[in-house]
Amino acid sequence: MLVQSQTQMVKATRPSIKGMPVGKLVAGRRFSVSRSSASKVVVCQAAPAAAPAAKQSASAPAGTPSPYDGSEINKTVLGIILGGGAGTRLYPLTKKRAKPAVPLGANYRLIDIPVSNCLNSNINKIYCLTQFNSASLNRHLSQAYNSSVGGANTRGFVEVLAASQSNLNKNWFQGTADAVRQYMWLFDEAVRDGVEDFLILSGDHLYRMDYREFVKKHRETGSAITIAALPCAEKEASSFGLMKIDDSGRVVEFAEKPKGDKLTAMKVDTTILGVDAETAKAKPYIASMGIYVMSAKALKELLMTKFPDANDFGNEVIPGAKDAGMKVQAHVFNGYWEDIGTVEAFYNANLSLANPATAQFSFYDRDAPIYTMSRFLPPSKILDAEVVHSIIGDGCVVKAGSKVHGSVVGIRSLIGSDCVVQDSLIMGSDYYETLEECEYVPGCLPMGLGDGTIVRRAIVDKNARIGPKCQIINKGGVKEANKEEQGFVIKDGIVVVIKDSIIPAGTII
């Protein structure tokens, strides 16, 4: 039991979501405990939890639901997070885990972003579709969310749907649309329970978004599909689905990752999105964020009837829906958003969090926090070390004489004495190791960085053991190299030490 003061909200045996109240809600009422002088635990009934006041939009016409009302959204919207395929663009970070389970920002995982956005938007029915290395993802979701999200009254859940063979379909997921199609029988059950729209999300984006506004726009316009969109520059435009819209925001043309003349043809005046002239000049394309709201009827019709062989939403289903005459609408998103599906983008997004001059995203927001699993780790120890513009996760030890500059250091990290960590991401460890466990490792080399080791512009994955006096600095300036047998890979000039690898003392990379 956690004790905060004289009175403490009690949590059941499972961990709670980090950042959420640990009070146990029973039939709409909270229970607390207080301790008498004889340390006797006394259970007392607290007042019913007050419902949060709805924020009314000043621009909404009379009778129109506020985007922040959300009174029925937890019953009528179901979230589907697409976990991606083998994660080849993020390899080797996806060698032993699904892409959504990749650690992020010292304490979190990628999956925490869309799940937290859903919970903050009062959407508590969430599935994550994946087919590769889903064990750690399943464990994280079950320990972090289900005990707090689910309940007899809310009927919420956060669950993994892994690819599986059936009598009707013996193939693995062939793409995003095919993954949803293969579980349509399950989504049909949700429709019978009152779900009207499906919110389809990606598991490798970094952003904060209130989906209630998104859903409200979808319903007000009576669209079959609504796409979250934002302006983008030409150098990155070919990596996204691009669209043209009319004055009402309806999509009139859509092209998935065009190149050459096809890319040039998708250039538009993005002031139509409400941006200023300077931004419109720098970002003359309207890009799809890969986030959609689809009505339940339209989704089933598209996947099961109109395009039963389509595998991908962006390439086939979305353009096909537009060409078939369905109403496809764009919803403009003006906040920070980053696709972190590649090693370089992932590295840059993490390190920008630590620099006040470049940080555009914060995990802390009082009204919309990012949740994760409560691990109950001790505070980190900085033992006469120098830490500048860096993030240190829970339960770490940075020993004397070490310097950590512009880096992100993940949970349970051990950084030995006189180390230099610069512009690097150290992911940490999955557990604390005992001396008995260490004896099974040659030389009893502990997880973390050995004394005197230098790490620059690198990613060190979890449970890696790097011996003393090593240099992980990409000494030869190599752009690409696959040295898995030696425990590392170089991608985009970034050295990635693979999870559970052992780098012997004195190694220079």
Side-chain angles (χ1 to χ4, degrees), residues 22-97:
V22 293
K24 179 67 176 177
L25 278 171
V26 181
R29 295 179 179 271
R30 288 194 185 275
F31 288 85
S32 63
V33 299
S34 61
R35 295 183 180 272
S36 66
S37 58
S39 298
K40 180 179 179 181
V41 177
V42 182
V43 179
C44 53
Q45 184 172 345
K55 302 178 183 178
Q56 184 65 38
S57 171
S59 61
T64 300
S66 163
Y68 294 98
D69 182 15
S71 57
E72 295 296 322
I73 197 171
N74 63 338
K75 298 178 182 178
T76 60
V77 176
L78 183 143
I80 301 173
I81 301 172
L82 302 174
T88 53
R89 295 190 304 159
L90 265 179
Y91 193 87
L93 301 178
T94 53
K95 182 177 182 178
K96 296 185 177 182
R97 58 169 78 89

Coordinates of all heavy atoms in Angstrom, one line a residue, residues 22-97:
V22 N -4.7 6.8 -7.6 CA -4.7 5.4 -7.3 C -5.9 5.0 -6.5 O -6.0 3.9 -6.0 CB -3.4 5.0 -6.5 CG1 -2.2 5.2 -7.3 CG2 -3.3 5.8 -5.2
G23 N -6.9 5.9 -6.3 CA -8.1 5.6 -5.6 C -8.9 4.5 -6.4 O -8.9 4.5 -7.6
K24 N -9.5 3.6 -5.6 CA -10.3 2.6 -6.2 C -11.8 3.1 -6.4 O -12.4 3.4 -5.3 CB -10.3 1.3 -5.4 CG -11.1 0.2 -5.9 CD -10.6 -0.3 -7.2 CE -11.3 -1.6 -7.7 NZ -10.9 -2.0 -9.0
L25 N -12.3 3.1 -7.5 CA -13.7 3.6 -7.8 C -14.6 2.4 -7.7 O -14.4 1.4 -8.4 CB -13.8 4.3 -9.1 CG -13.4 5.7 -9.1 CD1 -13.4 6.2 -10.6 CD2 -14.3 6.6 -8.3
V26 N -15.6 2.4 -6.8 CA -16.6 1.4 -6.7 C -18.0 2.0 -6.8 O -18.3 2.8 -6.0 CB -16.5 0.6 -5.4 CG1 -17.5 -0.5 -5.3 CG2 -15.1 0.0 -5.2
A27 N -18.7 1.6 -7.9 CA -20.0 2.2 -8.1 C -20.1 3.7 -8.0 O -20.9 4.3 -7.4 CB -21.0 1.6 -7.1
G28 N -19.0 4.3 -8.6 CA -19.0 5.8 -8.6 C -18.5 6.5 -7.4 O -18.5 7.7 -7.2
R29 N -18.0 5.7 -6.4 CA -17.6 6.3 -5.1 C -16.1 5.9 -4.8 O -15.7 4.8 -5.1 CB -18.4 5.8 -3.9 CG -19.9 6.4 -4.1 CD -20.7 5.9 -2.9 NE -22.1 6.4 -3.0 CZ -22.5 7.6 -2.5 NH1 -21.6 8.4 -1.9 NH2 -23.7 8.0 -2.7
R30 N -15.4 6.8 -4.2 CA -14.0 6.5 -3.8 C -13.9 6.0 -2.4 O -14.7 6.5 -1.6 CB -13.1 7.7 -4.0 CG -12.8 8.1 -5.5 CD -11.7 9.0 -5.5 NE -11.5 9.5 -6.9 CZ -10.7 8.9 -7.8 NH1 -10.1 7.8 -7.4 NH2 -10.6 9.3 -9.0
F31 N -13.0 5.2 -2.1 CA -12.8 4.8 -0.7 C -11.4 5.1 -0.3 O -10.5 5.1 -1.1 CB -13.0 3.2 -0.6 CG -14.4 2.8 -0.7 CD1 -15.0 2.6 -1.9 CD2 -15.2 2.7 0.5 CE1 -16.3 2.2 -2.0 CE2 -16.5 2.3 0.4 CZ -17.1 2.1 -0.9
S32 N -11.2 5.6 0.9 CA -9.9 6.0 1.4 C -9.6 5.2 2.7 O -10.5 4.7 3.3 CB -9.7 7.5 1.6 OG -10.6 7.9 2.6
V33 N -8.4 5.2 3.1 CA -8.0 4.6 4.4 C -7.3 5.7 5.2 O -6.6 6.5 4.7 CB -7.2 3.3 4.3 CG1 -7.9 2.3 3.5 CG2 -5.8 3.7 3.6
S34 N -7.4 5.6 6.5 CA -6.6 6.4 7.4 C -6.1 5.5 8.5 O -6.6 4.5 8.7 CB -7.5 7.6 8.0 OG -8.5 7.0 8.8
R35 N -5.0 6.0 9.0 CA -4.3 5.2 10.1 C -4.5 5.8 11.4 O -4.2 7.0 11.6 CB -2.8 5.0 9.8 CG -2.5 4.3 8.5 CD -1.0 4.1 8.3 NE -0.8 3.4 7.1 CZ -0.7 2.1 7.0 NH1 -0.8 1.3 8.1 NH2 -0.5 1.5 5.8
S36 N -4.9 5.0 12.4 CA -5.1 5.5 13.7 C -3.7 5.5 14.4 O -2.7 5.0 13.9 CB -6.1 4.7 14.5 OG -5.6 3.3 14.7
S37 N -3.6 5.9 15.6 CA -2.3 6.0 16.3 C -1.8 4.6 16.6 O -0.6 4.4 16.8 CB -2.5 6.7 17.7 OG -3.5 6.1 18.5
A38 N -2.7 3.6 16.6 CA -2.2 2.2 16.8 C -2.0 1.5 15.5 O -1.9 0.3 15.4 CB -3.3 1.4 17.6
S39 N -1.8 2.3 14.4 CA -1.5 1.8 13.0 C -2.6 0.9 12.5 O -2.4 0.0 11.6 CB -0.2 1.0 13.0 OG 0.8 1.9 13.4
K40 N -3.8 1.0 13.1 CA -5.0 0.2 12.6 C -5.5 0.9 11.3 O -5.7 2.1 11.3 CB -6.1 0.2 13.7 CG -7.3 -0.6 13.2 CD -8.3 -0.6 14.4 CE -9.6 -1.4 14.0 NZ -10.6 -1.4 15.0
V41 N -5.8 0.1 10.3 CA -6.3 0.6 9.1 C -7.8 0.7 9.2 O -8.5 -0.3 9.5 CB -5.9 -0.3 7.9 CG1 -6.5 0.2 6.6 CG2 -4.4 -0.4 7.7
V42 N -8.3 1.9 8.9 CA -9.8 2.1 9.0 C -10.3 2.5 7.6 O -9.7 3.4 7.0 CB -10.1 3.3 10.0 CG1 -11.6 3.5 10.1 CG2 -9.5 2.9 11.4
V43 N -11.2 1.8 7.1 CA -11.8 2.1 5.8 C -13.0 3.0 6.0 O -13.9 2.7 6.8 CB -12.2 0.8 5.1 CG1 -12.8 1.1 3.7 CG2 -11.1 -0.2 5.0
C44 N -13.0 4.1 5.2 CA -14.1 5.0 5.3 C -14.6 5.4 3.9 O -13.8 5.5 3.0 CB -13.8 6.3 6.1 SG -12.3 7.1 5.5
Q45 N -15.9 5.6 3.8 CA -16.4 5.9 2.5 C -16.3 7.4 2.2 O -16.7 8.2 3.0 CB -17.9 5.5 2.4 CG -18.5 5.7 1.0 CD -19.9 5.1 1.0 OE1 -20.3 4.4 1.8 NE2 -20.7 5.5 0.0
A46 N -15.7 7.8 1.0 CA -15.5 9.2 0.7 C -16.7 9.6 -0.1 O -17.6 8.8 -0.5 CB -14.3 9.4 -0.1
A47 N -16.8 10.9 -0.4 CA -17.8 11.5 -1.2 C -17.7 11.0 -2.6 O -16.7 10.7 -3.1 CB -17.8 13.0 -1.1
P48 N -18.9 10.9 -3.3 CA -18.8 10.5 -4.7 C -17.9 11.4 -5.5 O -17.8 12.6 -5.3 CB -20.3 10.7 -5.2 CG -21.1 10.7 -4.0 CD -20.2 11.3 -2.9
A49 N -17.2 10.8 -6.5 CA -16.3 11.5 -7.3 C -17.1 12.5 -8.2 O -18.0 12.0 -8.9 CB -15.4 10.6 -8.2
A50 N -16.7 13.7 -8.2 CA -17.5 14.7 -9.0 C -17.1 14.6 -10.4 O -15.9 14.4 -10.8 CB -17.2 16.1 -8.5
A51 N -18.1 14.7 -11.3 CA -17.8 14.6 -12.7 C -17.2 15.9 -13.2 O -17.6 17.0 -12.7 CB -19.1 14.4 -13.5
P52 N -16.2 15.9 -14.0 CA -15.5 17.1 -14.5 C -16.5 18.0 -15.3 O -17.3 17.5 -16.1 CB -14.4 16.6 -15.4 CG -14.8 15.3 -15.8 CD -15.6 14.7 -14.7
A53 N -16.4 19.3 -15.1 CA -17.3 20.2 -15.8 C -16.9 20.2 -17.3 O -15.7 20.3 -17.6 CB -17.2 21.6 -15.2
A54 N -17.9 20.2 -18.1 CA -17.6 20.2 -19.5 C -17.3 21.7 -19.9 O -17.8 22.6 -19.5 CB -18.9 19.8 -20.3
K55 N -16.3 21.8 -20.8 CA -15.9 23.1 -21.3 C -16.6 23.3 -22.6 O -16.5 22.6 -23.6 CB -14.4 23.1 -21.6 CG -13.5 22.8 -20.4 CD -12.1 22.7 -20.7 CE -11.2 22.4 -19.6 NZ -9.8 22.3 -19.9
Q56 N -17.4 24.4 -22.6 CA -18.3 24.7 -23.8 C -17.5 25.6 -24.8 O -16.9 26.6 -24.4 CB -19.5 25.4 -23.3 CG -20.5 25.7 -24.5 CD -21.0 24.4 -25.1 OE1 -21.3 23.4 -24.4 NE2 -21.2 24.3 -26.4
S57 N -17.5 25.2 -26.0 CA -16.9 26.0 -27.1 C -17.7 27.2 -27.4 O -18.9 27.1 -27.6 CB -16.6 25.1 -28.3 OG -16.2 25.9 -29.4
A58 N -17.1 28.4 -27.4 CA -17.8 29.6 -27.6 C -18.3 29.6 -29.1 O -19.3 30.3 -29.4 CB -16.9 30.8 -27.3
S59 N -17.6 28.9 -30.0 CA -18.0 29.0 -31.4 C -19.0 28.0 -31.8 O -19.5 28.0 -32.9 CB -16.7 28.8 -32.2 OG -16.2 27.6 -32.0
A60 N -19.3 27.0 -30.9 CA -20.3 26.0 -31.2 C -21.7 26.5 -31.2 O -22.1 27.2 -30.3 CB -20.1 24.8 -30.2
P61 N -22.5 26.2 -32.2 CA -23.9 26.7 -32.3 C -24.7 26.0 -31.2 O -24.3 24.9 -30.7 CB -24.3 26.3 -33.7 CG -23.4 25.2 -34.1 CD -22.1 25.5 -33.4
A62 N -25.8 26.6 -30.9 CA -26.7 26.0 -29.9 C -27.1 24.6 -30.2 O -27.4 24.3 -31.3 CB -27.9 26.9 -29.7
G63 N -27.0 23.7 -29.2 CA -27.4 22.3 -29.4 C -26.3 21.5 -29.9 O -26.5 20.3 -30.0
T64 N -25.2 22.0 -30.3 CA -24.1 21.3 -30.8 C -23.2 20.8 -29.6 O -22.9 21.5 -28.7 CB -23.2 22.1 -31.7 OG1 -23.9 22.6 -32.8 CG2 -22.0 21.3 -32.2
P65 N -22.9 19.5 -29.6 CA -22.1 19.0 -28.5 C -20.7 19.6 -28.5 O -20.1 19.8 -29.5 CB -21.9 17.5 -28.8 CG -23.0 17.2 -29.7 CD -23.3 18.4 -30.5
S66 N -20.2 20.0 -27.3 CA -18.9 20.6 -27.2 C -17.8 19.5 -27.5 O -18.0 18.3 -27.2 CB -18.7 21.1 -25.8 OG -17.3 21.3 -25.5
P67 N -16.7 19.9 -28.1 CA -15.6 18.9 -28.4 C -15.1 18.4 -27.1 O -14.4 17.3 -27.1 CB -14.6 19.7 -29.2 CG -14.9 21.2 -28.9 CD -16.4 21.2 -28.6
Y68 N -15.3 19.1 -26.0 CA -14.7 18.6 -24.7 C -15.8 17.9 -23.9 O -15.6 17.6 -22.7 CB -14.1 19.8 -23.9 CG -12.9 20.3 -24.6 CD1 -13.0 21.5 -25.4 CD2 -11.7 19.7 -24.5 CE1 -11.9 22.0 -26.0 CE2 -10.6 20.2 -25.1 CZ -10.7 21.3 -25.9 OH -9.6 21.8 -26.5
D69 N -17.0 17.8 -24.4 CA -18.1 17.1 -23.6 C -17.8 15.7 -23.5 O -17.6 15.2 -22.3 CB -19.4 17.3 -24.4 CG -20.6 16.8 -23.6 OD1 -20.4 16.5 -22.4 OD2 -21.6 16.6 -24.2
G70 N -17.7 14.9 -24.6 CA -17.3 13.5 -24.5 C -18.1 12.7 -23.6 O -17.6 11.6 -23.1
S71 N -19.4 13.0 -23.3 CA -20.2 12.2 -22.4 C -20.5 10.8 -22.9 O -20.6 9.9 -22.1 CB -21.5 13.0 -22.1 OG -22.2 13.2 -23.3
E72 N -20.5 10.7 -24.2 CA -20.9 9.3 -24.8 C -19.7 8.7 -25.6 O -19.9 7.6 -26.1 CB -22.1 9.5 -25.7 CG -23.4 9.9 -24.9 CD -23.8 8.8 -23.9 OE1 -23.7 7.6 -24.2 OE2 -24.3 9.2 -22.8
I73 N -18.6 9.5 -25.7 CA -17.6 9.0 -26.6 C -17.0 7.7 -26.1 O -16.5 6.9 -26.9 CB -16.5 10.1 -26.8 CG1 -15.6 9.8 -28.0 CG2 -15.6 10.2 -25.5 CD1 -14.6 10.9 -28.4
N74 N -17.0 7.4 -24.8 CA -16.4 6.2 -24.3 C -17.3 5.0 -24.7 O -16.9 3.8 -24.6 CB -16.2 6.2 -22.8 CG -17.4 6.4 -22.0 OD1 -18.4 6.9 -22.6 ND2 -17.4 6.1 -20.8
K75 N -18.5 5.3 -25.1 CA -19.4 4.2 -25.5 C -19.5 4.0 -27.0 O -19.9 2.9 -27.5 CB -20.8 4.4 -24.9 CG -20.9 4.5 -23.4 CD -22.3 4.8 -22.9 CE -22.4 4.9 -21.4 NZ -23.7 5.2 -20.9
T76 N -19.3 5.1 -27.7 CA -19.6 5.1 -29.1 C -18.3 5.1 -30.0 O -18.4 5.1 -31.2 CB -20.4 6.3 -29.5 OG1 -19.7 7.5 -29.2 CG2 -21.8 6.3 -28.8
V77 N -17.1 5.2 -29.4 CA -15.9 5.2 -30.2 C -15.0 4.2 -29.7 O -14.8 4.1 -28.5 CB -15.2 6.6 -30.2 CG1 -13.9 6.6 -30.9 CG2 -16.1 7.7 -30.8
L78 N -14.4 3.4 -30.6 CA -13.4 2.4 -30.2 C -12.1 2.7 -30.9 O -12.0 3.0 -32.1 CB -13.9 1.0 -30.6 CG -13.0 -0.2 -30.2 CD1 -13.8 -1.4 -29.8 CD2 -12.0 -0.6 -31.4
G79 N -11.0 2.7 -30.2 CA -9.7 3.0 -30.7 C -9.0 1.7 -31.2 O -9.0 0.7 -30.5
I80 N -8.4 1.8 -32.4 CA -7.6 0.7 -33.0 C -6.2 1.3 -33.3 O -6.0 2.2 -34.1 CB -8.2 0.2 -34.3 CG1 -9.6 -0.3 -34.0 CG2 -7.3 -0.9 -34.9 CD1 -10.4 -0.7 -35.3
I81 N -5.2 0.8 -32.6 CA -3.8 1.3 -32.8 C -3.1 0.3 -33.6 O -3.0 -0.9 -33.3 CB -3.1 1.4 -31.4 CG1 -3.8 2.4 -30.5 CG2 -1.6 1.9 -31.6 CD1 -3.3 2.5 -29.1
L82 N -2.6 0.7 -34.7 CA -1.9 -0.2 -35.7 C -0.4 -0.3 -35.3 O 0.3 0.7 -35.3 CB -2.0 0.4 -37.1 CG -3.5 0.5 -37.6 CD1 -3.5 1.2 -39.0 CD2 -4.1 -0.8 -37.7
G83 N 0.0 -1.4 -34.8 CA 1.3 -1.6 -34.3 C 2.4 -1.7 -35.3 O 3.6 -1.8 -35.0
G84 N 2.0 -1.8 -36.6 CA 3.0 -1.9 -37.6 C 3.5 -3.3 -37.9 O 3.1 -4.3 -37.2
G85 N 4.4 -3.5 -38.9 CA 4.8 -4.8 -39.2 C 6.1 -5.2 -38.5 O 6.2 -5.0 -37.2
A86 N 7.1 -5.6 -39.2 CA 8.3 -6.1 -38.5 C 9.2 -5.0 -38.0 O 10.1 -5.2 -37.3 CB 9.2 -6.9 -39.5
G87 N 8.8 -3.7 -38.3 CA 9.6 -2.6 -37.8 C 11.0 -2.5 -38.4 O 11.9 -2.2 -37.7
T88 N 11.1 -2.8 -39.7 CA 12.5 -2.8 -40.3 C 13.1 -1.4 -40.2 O 14.3 -1.3 -40.2 CB 12.4 -3.3 -41.7 OG1 11.4 -2.5 -42.4 CG2 11.9 -4.7 -41.8
R89 N 12.3 -0.3 -40.3 CA 13.0 1.0 -40.3 C 13.6 1.3 -38.9 O 14.5 2.1 -38.8 CB 11.9 2.1 -40.7 CG 11.4 2.0 -42.1 CD 10.6 3.2 -42.5 NE 9.5 3.4 -41.6 CZ 8.8 4.5 -41.4 NH1 9.2 5.6 -42.1 NH2 7.8 4.7 -40.5
L90 N 13.0 0.7 -37.9 CA 13.5 0.9 -36.5 C 14.5 -0.2 -36.1 O 14.9 -0.1 -34.9 CB 12.4 1.0 -35.5 CG 11.9 2.4 -35.2 CD1 10.7 2.4 -34.2 CD2 13.0 3.3 -34.6
Y91 N 14.7 -1.1 -36.9 CA 15.6 -2.2 -36.5 C 17.1 -1.6 -36.3 O 17.5 -0.7 -37.0 CB 15.7 -3.2 -37.7 CG 16.4 -4.5 -37.3 CD1 15.6 -5.6 -36.8 CD2 17.7 -4.7 -37.5 CE1 16.2 -6.8 -36.4 CE2 18.3 -5.9 -37.2 CZ 17.6 -6.9 -36.6 OH 18.2 -8.1 -36.3
P92 N 17.8 -2.1 -35.2 CA 17.5 -3.3 -34.4 C 16.8 -3.0 -33.1 O 16.7 -3.9 -32.3 CB 19.0 -3.7 -34.1 CG 19.7 -2.4 -34.0 CD 19.1 -1.5 -35.0
L93 N 16.2 -1.9 -33.0 CA 15.4 -1.6 -31.7 C 14.2 -2.5 -31.7 O 13.6 -2.7 -30.6 CB 15.0 -0.1 -31.7 CG 16.1 0.9 -31.7 CD1 15.5 2.3 -31.7 CD2 17.0 0.7 -30.5
T94 N 13.7 -3.0 -32.9 CA 12.6 -3.9 -32.9 C 13.0 -5.4 -33.1 O 12.2 -6.2 -33.4 CB 11.7 -3.5 -34.1 OG1 12.5 -3.5 -35.3 CG2 11.1 -2.2 -33.9
K95 N 14.3 -5.7 -32.8 CA 14.7 -7.1 -32.9 C 14.0 -8.0 -31.9 O 13.7 -9.2 -32.3 CB 16.2 -7.1 -32.7 CG 16.8 -8.5 -32.9 CD 18.3 -8.5 -32.8 CE 18.9 -9.9 -33.0 NZ 20.4 -10.0 -32.9
K96 N 13.8 -7.5 -30.7 CA 13.2 -8.4 -29.7 C 11.9 -7.8 -29.1 O 11.5 -8.3 -28.1 CB 14.2 -8.6 -28.6 CG 15.5 -9.3 -29.0 CD 16.4 -9.6 -27.8 CE 17.6 -10.4 -28.3 NZ 18.5 -10.7 -27.1
R97 N 11.3 -6.9 -29.8 CA 10.1 -6.3 -29.3 C 9.3 -5.7 -30.5 O 9.8 -5.4 -31.5 CB 10.4 -5.2 -28.3 CG 11.2 -4.0 -28.9 CD 11.3 -2.8 -28.0 NE 12.1 -3.0 -26.8 CZ 13.4 -2.7 -26.8 NH1 14.0 -2.2 -28.0 NH2 14.2 -2.8 -25.8

